[in-house]
Amino acid sequence: MKALIKTAVGAAIFALAAVPTLAADITLEHAWSRATSPGAKVGAGYVMIKNAGTAADRLVSATAEVAGKVEIHEMKMVDGVMKMRPINGLDIPAGKNVELKPGGFHIMFEQLKQPLKAGDTVKGSLTFEKAGTLPIEYKVEAMKKGGGMSGDHMHH
Amino acid sequence: MRYGRVIIIWAAALFAAAVVAGVLYLTMSPERARAAIGGPFRLTSQTGEIIDSESLKGRPYAIFFGFTYCPEICPTTMMDMAHLIDKLGAEAKDFKVYFVSVDPERDTPEALGRYLSAFGPHMVGLTGSADEIAQVAREFRVYYKKVPIGDGNYTIDHSAFVYLMGADGRFVNVLQYQEPDDKALAKLKKLFE
């Protein structure tokens, strides 16, 4: 009898464990930034955020050692006019990738303590509602023609 | 109340007609459309020198309206222009790109000088009083707007075109933001004809 009960309890626990729980699973890829002009007070960070999980998540804040203040910004080109706005959070849907790239969303480094130079690494963090705070290291790339937009982009 | 509606319909029709007329006017008389962009200006360069648009006549040039707290559009545009000028070669050795600040509050001549130094000797920063900047922006039909973004901080929405001016000081064409090289080069080469 005891053995039967043990087996039943074991089976129940096993069954419960097998019930899928909704979870976000965030990874960060290709975090990069662009070298700034000497004397620049602002810079931008870009990264590919991947959510391999079954639950949506939301990027809510960011930090960077080289910046006095960091915000999440969205850029929109409307009829030839460039508009940039801070946003409170960026949704990362379940199973999807969200790319922060030139012309779209970026991490805005404000009050730069020093200009960003090609080859530098900017250390910081990204905080998500569910996944918590993840460390990030942006590799600073040289300013170059096209600034990383590589022909795709300019979505509306 | 039927009269009210009739009036509205007539007003709408007249408005639509006016818009159509305006568009036809501009498109069918390109001379006048071109003349509508640009105008005289006197601004302060990054070295503190006063630059009068009259003195720029005799050589084609480009003019762009931006600000140094702009993280993406402005550096990218300056980089693209430097690249295009490089490709043009000897023809463009004296070609200048004037970067007019739409944020004269923060963009002092020194700030402009430091900012533009990254892009090479063809870039010249221009700043001035709020009124002087407003006047030039009006002449070039440049949209710009200061937008607070919290904590006393602000950004500036602004037109992202590069305006190409001929040797006679008159407007010739615009370069769109990140326009493909071949199209941009064709437009620039025309300036030197």
Side-chain angles (χ1 to χ4, degrees):
Chain A
M1 194 54 190
K2 251 198 181 159
L4 192 56
I5 292 173
K6 262 199 198 159
T7 316
V9 170
I13 290 173
F14 186 80
L16 277 172
V19 167
T21 47
L22 293 177
D25 175 10
I26 304 286
T27 48
L28 307 174
E29 262 181 37
H30 188 214
W32 67 284
S33 180
R34 215 185 281 125
T36 64
S37 268
K41 291 295 188 294
V42 300
Y46 309 100
V47 63
M48 172 74 90
I49 300 175
K50 292 184 161 179
N51 185 355
T54 44
D57 205 341
R58 195 166 152 86
L59 173 65
V60 293
S61 69
T63 67
E65 284 177 2
V66 76
K69 182 169 180 196
V70 181
E71 288 180 335
I72 309 162
H73 277 212
E74 179 177 17
M75 308 216 60
K76 268 197 272 226
M77 180 79 98
V78 181
D79 294 330
V81 176
M82 180 48 69
K83 301 185 186 227
M84 183 173 80
R85 297 285 182 273
I87 54 175
N88 284 330
L90 181 56
D91 289 325
I92 319 287
K96 292 273 192 303
N97 301 339
V98 174
E99 189 177 6
L100 279 69
K101 61 180 197 268
F105 300 103
H106 60 262
I107 303 297
M108 180 81 161
F109 307 136
E110 296 172 41
Q111 297 163 21
L112 281 183
K113 298 172 185 169
Q114 65 203 47
L116 303 181
K117 291 210 293 290
D120 284 353
T121 300
V122 175
K123 293 199 177 141
S125 69
L126 294 184
T127 299
F128 297 84
E129 253 171 22
K130 301 212 174 84
T133 300
L134 304 178
I136 187 169
E137 286 192 11
Y138 306 86
K139 291 266 177 318
V140 181
E141 298 181 5
M143 271 198 277
K144 57 183 190 290
K145 159 80 176 117
M149 280 185 85
S150 58
D152 53 316
H153 71 79
M154 269 317 149
H155 49 281
H156 288 273
Chain B
M1 290 309 102
R2 272 185 59 229
Y3 288 125
R5 228 188 280 162
V6 170
I7 289 172
I8 287 171
I9 291 172
W10 270 106
L14 275 170
F15 179 73
V19 170
V20 171
V23 171
L24 282 174
Y25 176 79
L26 282 177
T27 54
M28 298 189 83
S29 51
E31 273 301 309
R32 256 172 278 169
R34 279 217 303 277
I37 295 188
F41 58 83
R42 266 172 73 86
L43 295 170
T44 308
S45 81
Q46 67 219 45
T47 56
E49 190 191 334
I50 303 288
I51 305 249
D52 192 313
S53 52
E54 270 303 304
S55 68
L56 303 182
K57 287 190 179 160
R59 274 208 287 264
Y61 62 92
I63 182 165
F64 175 75
F65 296 78
F67 63 114
T68 70
Y69 277 72
C70 166
E72 211 177 273
I73 303 304
C74 305
T76 301
T77 300
M78 290 296 106
M79 207 60 209
D80 287 354
M81 290 308 295
H83 169 81
L84 290 168
I85 289 170
D86 201 44
K87 282 195 131 168
L88 286 169
E91 206 170 29
K93 75 172 169 59
D94 293 322
F95 188 77
K96 295 278 185 281
V97 179
Y98 293 96
F99 182 101
V100 177
S101 172
V102 290
D103 186 11
E105 247 180 274
R106 290 187 294 203
D107 290 344
T108 60
E110 299 74 33
L112 279 176
R114 248 175 302 139
Y115 179 82
L116 293 171
S117 66
F119 307 108
H122 292 268
M123 311 307 168
V124 180
L126 293 177
T127 185
S129 68
D131 284 339
E132 285 167 335
I133 298 295
Q135 185 210 319
V136 190
R138 231 182 349 255
E139 287 171 351
F140 283 80
R141 301 197 179 304
V142 166
Y143 174 85
Y144 71 106
K145 183 163 170 220
K146 195 166 160 183
V147 178
I149 51 175
D151 285 352
N153 213 359
Y154 63 88
T155 183
I156 315 252
D157 290 351
H158 64 101
S159 306
F161 299 115
V162 175
Y163 301 86
L164 301 180
M165 312 300 283
D168 58 359
R170 288 173 64 210
F171 169 73
V172 175
N173 214 336
V174 288
L175 291 181
Q176 310 265 4
Y177 179 59
Q178 299 245 279
E179 185 153 354
D181 265 16
D182 53 351
K183 283 175 85 185
L185 282 169
K187 288 182 181 178
L188 283 164
K189 287 203 162 106
K190 274 209 141 127
L191 291 177
F192 298 97
E193 277 164 17

